[in-house]
Amino acid sequence: MNIASSYEASWFNLYLERGTTTIGRATNNAMVLPYHAVSSYHARIIAFNNTACIQDLDSANGTYVNNRKIHCHILRVGDRVNIGHCHFIIAGYL
């Protein structure tokens, strides 16, 4: 999982890699988001063959795609993902 980021913008471009990426506050996640609004094990992204699904792991504050709370969602380029106060735009696949 690669994130192309700019501290001058509040949204970060997210490039998906094949496989499973865990997201959360705990340090053993593939993507660590060290903020109180993020659960220890918040969500995971499963990517394969230029297709990806994001799944909320029963987080306290939920996972949102395009401003809608989701449990599981097929991601498309351009989707906007919110986890806690972190905002990502799905920019493509690596």
Side-chain angles (χ1 to χ4, degrees), residues 1-67:
M1 186 80 44
N2 283 336
I3 302 173
S5 62
S6 166
Y7 290 107
E8 296 175 13
S10 60
W11 288 87
F12 299 91
N13 288 330
L14 186 63
Y15 292 89
L16 303 173
E17 294 177 349
R18 179 179 239 163
T20 300
T21 302
T22 56
I23 304 168
R25 198 174 64 240
T27 59
N28 61 337
N29 284 290
M31 182 187 299
V32 178
L33 302 176
Y35 306 104
H36 292 293
V38 177
S39 294
S40 295
Y41 301 97
H42 198 103
R44 75 172 145 230
I45 296 174
I46 302 167
F48 54 94
N49 298 332
N50 289 334
T51 301
C53 176
I54 188 167
Q55 179 182 22
D56 183 78
L57 299 177
D58 297 320
S59 65
N61 293 315
T63 300
Y64 293 80
V65 177
N66 300 325
N67 296 319

